[in-house]
Amino acid sequence: MNKHDSERIAGMLESLGMFQVDDIDESDVIIFMTCCVRESADTRLYGHVSSLKNIPLRDGSPLTKRCIAIGGCIGQRDGDKLVEKMDHIDVVFGTQNISSLPVLLERSITKHTYSAEILQSSKGFPTDLPSKRENDWAAWLPITIGCDNFCTYCIVPYVRGREKSRSIEDIVDETKSYVDTGVREITLLGQNVNSYGRDIYGKPAFADILDKVALTGIERLRFATSHPKDLSDDVIERFATISSLMPALHLPVQAGSDRVLEMMNRRYTSAHYLELVSKLRSACPDIALSTDVIVGFPGETEQDFMDTYRLIEQVGYNQVFTFIYSPREGTPAAKMEQTSSREEIQDRFDRLVDLVQKKAFEQNQKERGNIVEVLIEGSSKRDPQVLSGKSPKNQTVHAKIPSGMNIADLCGRIIDVRVDEPKTWYLFGECVSSPR
Ligand code: SAH
Ligand code: SF4
């Protein structure tokens, strides 16, 4: 969501005559889009902003001071407190008022003052901002903002506000405009896409959205994130019936212990989750599943952890994002008693990471010899002669760039790759078709 917000900001500022630079020393304005889901991201912001305190203005800058703006979740949560801690910040804006940024920047730059605006709720869904996408072939498309779920560990509902859905017409129109300009893949975005529509249509309408978006002719369709309590049979069935819906689903489980799931207010049991997995695999036998897991939730025992461990072992995910529980002030879990020591939690985390790696390697071995259709994103960071892209299952795939071709022409095209060497986090192979 932050990436998407950043694209809207870039689009909006470009339409006002500003442009993006790669080198921070060349900038006049620096905008931080922040995240406070876990403490590590939170503390990093302070480090980054503090390090900018005394850097000189660029040669030829029209400003008298480099302008530093903070947006996103930390802006929303901390507001003016940020400036009390770091007085070289010029602008603070919240998650609900991205469209006010140009006015805030102008006020700060022309009047040499600090300016801020933090709204507690938005008037509607912010659809009217232009966006400057990272690339021409893939787009994020938010269908809801905010979250109503209040998982006890999570700060998102407090900093992103209540869930608001965008109208079906808007979503379909935006998708069509992408298809018309050659975009090949879109990812529908929301904290919980499965509850899409409840606020405006009185019932979840996510399966309808999938049908209508698929009819636009988009080649690759994805969505994130799904909450297991709201993943309906209708949506599961779409993995069988919509050919452009990619066979990959991120379905955060968080924990495998029912006791912990209840304390987290997740409102499903591990048995329900496993039933969803089995329904998904019936609808789409080869579906790649990924998930999020929190280790060390307050009150988690070794036995609870082992329930999680066994669930991860049983499901056989392609990818698992593992997090150590991080208390977030203002959430109910932050007041719960932590019964495990740091060492115990770290030990559980390390065991889980080992398992995740082992299972990801096992999953990838199944791809050996398969031909996968790769949407090319660029060259590999390690080797400019190697292309990198994503398979339908969202696996990272690397392959030698075919002779006579260059990466600039290949980006955004799809090529068949035969998988010769499956690794833990990527597949390596050889291109066996022309790009299309
Ligand atoms: N809306 C999505 C994602 C929310 S944040 C969902 O419900 O799945 C992304 C992930 O961060 C969560 O899935 C969770 O695993 C993790 N997370 C959120 N709050 C956390 C906290 N306080 N400590 C550790 N991990 C957290
Ligand atoms: Fe946070 Fe839960 Fe909402 Fe996801 S569903 S954003 S974890 S409160």
Side-chain angles (χ1 to χ4, degrees):
M1 203 57 93
N2 262 0
K3 271 195 179 182
H4 177 75
D5 284 349
S6 303
E7 290 181 350
R8 294 227 184 243
I9 288 175
M12 191 169 57
L13 297 183
E14 282 205 357
S15 71
L16 297 170
M18 298 171 79
F19 61 94
Q20 229 170 306
V21 289
D22 293 328
D23 184 353
I24 204 162
D25 293 332
E26 291 300 311
S27 66
D28 293 313
V29 177
I30 301 171
I31 301 164
F32 287 90
M33 287 305 288
T34 60
C35 168
C36 59
V37 164
R38 288 173 294 276
E39 194 185 354
S40 52
D42 223 332
T43 36
R44 263 206 308 268
L45 173 74
Y46 286 87
H48 280 309
V49 177
S50 301
S51 72
L52 296 174
K53 178 136 186 138
N54 294 317
I55 61 164
L57 270 174
R58 72 175 174 93
D59 284 346
S61 173
L63 308 189
T64 50
K65 173 194 177 303
R66 190 180 257 111
C67 181
I68 298 176
I70 315 285
C73 301
I74 301 183
Q76 181 75 30
R77 185 196 60 188
D78 292 354
D80 295 343
K81 275 192 250 156
L82 282 164
V83 192
E84 287 161 22
K85 287 188 190 146
M86 295 176 286
D87 62 4
H88 56 301
I89 292 175
D90 303 284
V91 171
V92 177
F93 60 107
T95 54
Q96 321 271 346
N97 32 344
I98 286 180
S99 57
S100 306
L101 181 62
V103 174
L104 296 173
L105 287 177
E106 192 193 7
R107 198 185 300 154
S108 171
I109 289 168
T110 55
K111 303 216 167 97
H112 309 285
T113 63
Y114 160 69
S115 65
E117 189 180 288
I118 320 278
L119 292 177
Q120 288 314 319
S121 70
S122 61
K123 284 174 227 103
F125 197 99
T127 51
D128 49 346
L129 304 177
S131 90
K132 176 182 186 285
R133 294 200 321 276
E134 229 169 62
N135 62 58
D136 297 333
W137 59 86
W140 309 107
L141 205 154
I143 64 167
T144 66
I145 51 167
C147 182
D148 288 347
N149 286 309
F150 292 94
C151 302
T152 54
Y153 50 82
C154 185
I155 197 148
V156 170
Y158 305 91
V159 289
R160 290 269 172 184
R162 293 294 71 72
E163 184 176 279
K164 284 194 187 68
S165 303
R166 191 170 173 188
S167 74
I168 292 190
E169 294 75 33
D170 264 6
I171 295 168
V172 171
D173 285 352
E174 190 170 338
T175 311
K176 277 190 191 143
S177 74
Y178 288 142
V179 173
D180 290 347
T181 53
V183 169
R184 308 184 80 167
E185 174 172 300
I186 63 159
T187 304
L188 305 176
L189 278 186
Q191 296 298 343
N192 174 16
V193 288
N194 301 100
S195 60
Y196 167 83
R198 229 174 246 167
D199 54 329
I200 45 175
Y201 303 115
K203 61 178 175 51
F206 185 54
D208 298 346
I209 285 285
L210 290 176
D211 291 339
K212 296 209 163 86
V213 166
L215 282 175
T216 62
I218 188 78
E219 269 181 272
R220 289 182 163 206
L221 174 58
R222 303 184 189 276
F223 57 83
T225 304
S226 284
H227 194 307
K229 80 175 165 62
D230 295 314
L231 179 62
S232 65
D233 290 351
D234 286 358
V235 170
I236 293 176
E237 188 199 297
R238 296 312 190 269
F239 280 101
T241 56
I242 300 180
S243 58
S244 54
L245 185 57
M246 293 289 102
L249 179 68
H250 186 62
L251 191 62
V253 68
Q254 312 298 357
S257 148
D258 290 344
R259 213 178 64 84
V260 174
L261 286 171
E262 198 177 339
M263 291 193 291
M264 289 175 161
N265 189 32
R266 289 290 288 179
R267 290 179 275 167
Y268 54 83
T269 59
S270 57
H272 177 74
Y273 186 92
L274 291 171
E275 198 186 323
L276 292 176
V277 169
S278 116
K279 283 182 184 172
L280 283 159
R281 289 202 165 128
S282 301
C284 179
D286 207 24
I287 195 163
L289 297 174
S290 57
T291 200
D292 292 347
V293 173
I294 298 178
V295 177
F297 186 80
E300 179 190 79
T301 62
E302 175 61 21
Q303 200 184 336
D304 292 320
F305 169 73
M306 283 311 295
D307 287 344
T308 302
Y309 189 95
R310 279 189 287 267
L311 184 139
I312 301 297
E313 202 164 31
Q314 186 179 344
V315 173
Y317 292 100
N318 283 63
Q319 205 169 9
V320 179
F321 299 92
T322 46
F323 306 109
I324 288 184
Y325 169 71
S326 164
R328 305 285 65 211
E329 209 184 311
T331 62
K335 294 194 202 84
M336 296 180 191
E337 192 192 348
Q338 181 54 270
T339 47
S340 305
S341 67
R342 256 169 193 270
E343 292 70 29
E344 281 168 325
I345 294 172
Q346 188 64 49
D347 176 61
R348 287 176 201 156
F349 183 77
D350 294 345
R351 279 185 279 153
L352 188 64
V353 169
D354 285 347
L355 174 71
V356 165
Q357 286 188 2
K358 190 177 117 210
K359 299 297 281 186
F361 184 76
E362 272 174 32
Q363 287 295 329
N364 276 353
Q365 294 314 303
K366 296 181 190 162
E367 302 292 348
R368 190 182 291 277
N370 288 351
I371 309 278
V372 292
E373 295 185 336
V374 179
L375 177 56
I376 302 167
E377 294 176 339
S379 53
S380 144
K381 282 190 196 110
R382 283 207 214 129
D383 184 349
Q385 303 305 315
V386 167
L387 64 82
S388 176
K390 286 282 168 22
S391 72
K393 291 195 220 167
N394 218 16
Q395 294 141 313
T396 299
V397 183
H398 294 314
K400 262 228 143 31
I401 295 174
S403 59
M405 294 189 191
N406 71 62
I407 194 67
D409 297 333
L410 286 171
C411 279
R413 299 174 80 186
I414 292 178
I415 200 163
D416 294 342
V417 172
R418 187 194 59 238
V419 178
D420 297 329
E421 279 181 67
K423 306 280 192 194
T424 304
W425 302 127
Y426 66 93
L427 308 172
F428 191 87
E430 192 180 318
C431 296
V432 293
S433 75
S434 313
R436 48 191 182 271

